[in-house]
Amino acid sequence: MTFRATCRASAAVIALCAGGPLAAQGTVDVAIIGDPDTFDPMLSTKDVVSIVTQHVVETLYTFDEGWAVVPLLAADMPAISEDGTTYTIPLREGVGFHDGSTMDSADVVASLERWKDVASRGIAIADNIVRIEATGPHEVAITLDEPYAPLLSLLAFSNSAAAIYPEEIIAPEIDQVVGTGPYRLQAHEPDQYVQLVRFEDYAKPGTEAGERNQTPDEIRFVPVPDTNTRIEGLLSGQFDYADSLSTEAYDRIAASDVAEPVLLEAFGWPVFAVNHKKGLMTDPNIRRAVQAALPYDDMLFAAFGDEKFFQTDGALYPEGWAWHSDAGTELYNLNDPEKAAEYLEQAGYDGQPLRILTSRQYEFHYQMAEVARMALEMAGFSVQLDVVDWATLAQNRDNPDLWDIHITHSPFLPEPALTSSLFSTAREGWDDPAKNEILDRFTAETDPEARQAIYAELQQRVFEDVGMIKIGNFNALQGKARGLEGVHPSPWPAFWNAHRAE
C-alpha cells in the first residue's frame, strides 16, 4: 500500500515530521476530538480512548459487524453451566504481549480481578461475581451468584473494557499499558499526536472477530478539538479520516474531490446525564421540571440543522431494535414551561442556579445546551452554563459537587446493560429502589422475549423518575479520504485494515 508522505502544514504535523522515522510512508492520519487522557481503557468510558486503545489492547470477546459476541482472546464461546452461573472460557494459546511475554490464564484472572475493582462496568457487576479462577494454563472460569445475561457483552465492550494485561503490570493504576493488539504505542506527544506502530509478533484471532491485517505501518491520531478545523483538515487532505464532524458540513464534504462523508444513521442518542448524588437534581420535582421544560425539537434542530440527521424520538431504542418500546414516552417532549413551573413550585425552588456542564469539542452538545438554557429560564430556572474542554468535562463529571447536568451521548448499544447510567454504581448515582429491582430482574433473565418486556418496564421508570434525559436520535457524521478502504463505519472506527484503493 502507498499512503502519501506526511509533512504537511500544521503545527502537529510539523512536530511529527521533525522526528525522521515519523515521516515514513504507510501511515494513516486520523483527526479525533481530543487527546486521550489514558491508554488504559478499563478506566474510561470515553469514545476518544476506545478509538485509540482498541488497536493496542484486546478483550476475551468482541462484537462482529452485526453486534454478535464472538471470541477474540478467547479460543471459543464459553461453556455455561446448566444453572447459568459458571462460564468456562478457553483461551487462545501462543498469544504474545507487546513486552515479549505470552498470555496465559494467570494474566486473564489478574486482569479480570482488576476490571471488577476499577472499571465502572466491572464494578457494576462485582457483587454478582463469586470468583474468577484459572482452571488450567489456558482456561478460566467465572462463577456468578445468579445468572447474569449481559456478562459476555460486558466482556466484549471496548470502553470500561475488560482488557487483558500481563499479570506483572497489574496495579490500581498502570503507568505503561502493555497489550496484545495489532499495534503498540510508540509515542505520545500530548495535544499533538499519538503514534501507534505495527506489532510484528501479533497473533491474529479467528475470522469471527474480523480481519485484523495490520495494513498500515503506523496509525497516528491527532487531537483536533475544533470541529471546523477537523473538517478543513479532511478537505485539504491533511487527514485520512476525521471523527465527529458537524452535520452542516455534509454537503461540502460530499462535493469534495478529496474526501467523502461517512454517515452513521440512527447512530445514537444525546443525553442530559442527571446528578442523583448531590445538588438540585436530587429533588424528583426539579428533575420533572427539567424534563417538562425542554423543547427537544428545537434542541435537535439547533444541534443538527436538518431532519435527515435527527429524529425526535423518546424511546431509548429506535424502531427496528429488539429493545424498542413506547413505554413512558407520553412524558417525552412535553415542551411545557407552565407544567415545569408547577413542578418548581412543588419543589420550593429558590432560584439556585442549575449547573449544566458541556463542551464545544462536540459542538452539538453546546448547541443543545444553549437552547435548553433559554427554555429552562422561561420555565423559571436560573441556569449556569459551564463550557469547558472535553478533558476537563470528563474530569469534572466525576465530582458530583461540580454539576447538576452534564451533556453526553451514546451510540445505540446491542445490550442495554452496557448503558452504565442505569446502574447506581455509575457516576450519576441513580439509586432508585424501583429501578434497581427492575434492573436486577432484567440482568438475571435469560429469555430474550422476557427481557424485552422487562426492559419496557425499565424505560417506563427512566421517564417516571427522570433517571436520565434522552433528547432524541441522531445520525453521526465522520469523513474519510476518497479511495480509503478497509474502515468499517462505526462509533469506534478501527484502522488496522485501512488502505488506499489501487
Side-chain angles (χ1 to χ4, degrees):
M1 100 178 164
T2 303
F3 284 95
R4 60 191 178 278
T6 56
C7 290
R8 307 186 185 99
S10 79
V13 175
I14 290 169
L16 288 171
C17 292
L22 296 180
Q25 292 192 356
T27 298
V28 180
D29 289 316
V30 183
I32 53 179
I33 66 107
D35 209 28
D37 59 348
T38 180
F39 296 103
D40 180 1
M42 277 195 195
L43 301 182
S44 179
T45 59
K46 293 192 285 295
D47 291 344
V48 70
V49 172
S50 296
I51 289 170
V52 174
T53 60
Q54 65 183 330
H55 298 82
V56 177
V57 300
E58 295 179 317
T59 48
L60 293 174
Y61 295 96
T62 188
F63 295 104
D64 66 14
E65 292 184 3
W67 289 109
V69 175
V70 294
L72 183 53
L73 291 176
D76 204 345
M77 299 303 288
I80 304 175
S81 62
E82 288 189 11
D83 64 0
T85 62
T86 300
Y87 289 64
T88 301
I89 301 172
L91 306 176
R92 290 168 52 207
E93 299 185 31
V95 174
F97 287 105
H98 299 161
D99 64 0
S101 62
T102 302
M103 182 189 74
D104 61 19
S105 55
D107 301 310
V108 175
V109 170
S111 297
L112 294 181
E113 288 284 359
R114 179 178 185 260
W115 176 71
K116 73 179 180 63
D117 291 337
V118 305
S120 60
R121 291 186 173 87
I123 291 170
I125 68 161
D127 289 344
N128 298 86
I129 297 175
V130 175
R131 61 183 171 274
I132 303 169
E133 59 185 334
T135 49
H138 296 95
E139 184 182 271
V140 299
I142 302 172
T143 301
L144 310 172
D145 60 0
E146 63 179 3
Y148 194 86
L151 178 62
L152 290 181
S153 292
L154 292 174
L155 294 179
F157 205 31
S158 62
N159 67 41
S160 190
I164 305 304
Y165 302 130
E167 179 185 16
E168 292 74 18
I169 73 167
I170 296 297
E173 294 187 9
I174 296 175
D175 293 330
Q176 186 171 351
V177 167
V178 176
T180 60
Y183 290 82
R184 57 182 177 81
L185 179 64
Q186 177 72 10
H188 175 217
E189 289 294 331
D191 300 320
Q192 293 189 38
Y193 65 91
V194 177
Q195 181 198 16
L196 306 184
V197 298
R198 186 188 293 120
F199 175 40
E200 299 298 346
D201 295 324
Y202 180 57
K204 289 185 179 182
T207 55
E208 304 100 320
E211 295 291 339
R212 300 187 177 208
N213 288 320
Q214 301 176 280
T215 309
D217 295 323
E218 65 179 69
I219 306 166
R220 279 202 298 259
F221 295 94
V222 182
V224 184
D226 182 70
T227 304
N228 291 327
T229 306
R230 291 196 297 279
I231 293 165
E232 296 305 326
L234 178 71
L235 292 172
S236 70
Q238 179 177 336
F239 303 121
D240 299 295
Y241 206 94
D243 186 37
S244 189
L245 306 179
S246 58
T247 53
E248 63 190 21
Y250 181 92
D251 291 340
R252 279 190 69 204
I253 299 170
S256 168
D257 293 332
V258 175
E260 58 186 290
V262 178
L263 189 65
L264 284 69
E265 299 193 51
F267 169 90
W269 41 312
V271 183
F272 276 29
V274 170
N275 186 347
H276 291 267
K277 292 181 178 179
K278 290 185 177 181
L280 280 175
M281 296 293 277
T282 59
D283 186 321
N285 279 318
I286 297 289
R287 299 199 297 271
R288 292 174 186 130
V290 173
Q291 181 172 258
L294 292 178
Y296 299 107
D297 289 297
D298 293 342
M299 293 167 68
L300 289 164
F301 188 81
F304 302 106
D306 190 309
E307 289 185 353
K308 70 181 177 183
F309 298 120
F310 71 87
Q311 303 86 42
T312 308
D313 178 19
L316 299 187
Y317 280 87
E319 291 186 11
W321 287 76
W323 308 108
H324 175 73
S325 169
D326 291 329
T329 56
E330 68 275 4
L331 297 173
Y332 174 76
N333 202 23
L334 297 179
N335 192 9
D336 189 342
E338 293 182 0
K339 185 67 173 176
E342 291 176 12
Y343 283 128
L344 287 180
E345 184 176 357
Q346 293 175 38
Y349 177 64
D350 61 2
Q352 179 181 340
L354 179 74
R355 298 162 302 168
I356 301 178
L357 181 62
T358 191
S359 171
R360 299 199 73 158
Q361 279 162 273
Y362 291 109
E363 183 68 13
F364 70 97
H365 290 188
Y366 172 76
Q367 291 163 337
M368 288 189 299
E370 283 285 16
V371 175
R373 176 172 64 177
M374 290 186 287
L376 291 166
E377 288 174 346
M378 287 179 59
F381 278 101
S382 172
V383 179
Q384 176 181 318
L385 198 60
D386 294 329
V387 184
V388 298
D389 62 82
W390 186 248
T392 301
L393 184 148
Q395 180 178 358
N396 289 356
R397 69 184 180 180
D398 286 332
N399 184 345
D401 293 321
L402 299 180
W403 58 280
D404 298 303
I405 291 169
H406 80 78
I407 302 177
T408 185
H409 67 270
S410 172
F412 295 114
L413 301 172
E415 164 55 56
L418 294 173
T419 303
S420 59
S421 299
L422 294 172
F423 292 84
S424 58
T425 54
R427 64 173 60 89
E428 296 88 344
W430 185 29
D431 195 16
D432 169 55
K435 178 270 301 181
N436 292 344
E437 185 275 331
I438 298 168
L439 187 59
D440 287 345
R441 282 192 285 117
F442 177 71
T443 56
E445 181 58 64
T446 57
D447 178 74
E449 290 189 7
R451 295 192 80 217
Q452 291 170 24
I454 299 170
Y455 187 69
E457 294 181 52
L458 188 58
Q459 179 175 292
Q460 179 80 35
R461 191 59 188 163
V462 167
F463 282 103
E464 289 175 348
D465 199 51
V466 197
M468 65 186 85
I469 301 174
K470 178 192 174 183
I471 308 304
N473 306 337
F474 76 103
N475 305 334
L477 180 63
Q478 301 169 351
K480 70 182 184 72
R482 289 196 178 272
L484 183 72
E485 297 182 351
V487 183
H488 178 69
S490 167
W492 311 280
F495 299 94
W496 43 66
N497 295 328
H499 64 279
R500 289 274 184 181
E502 296 296 334

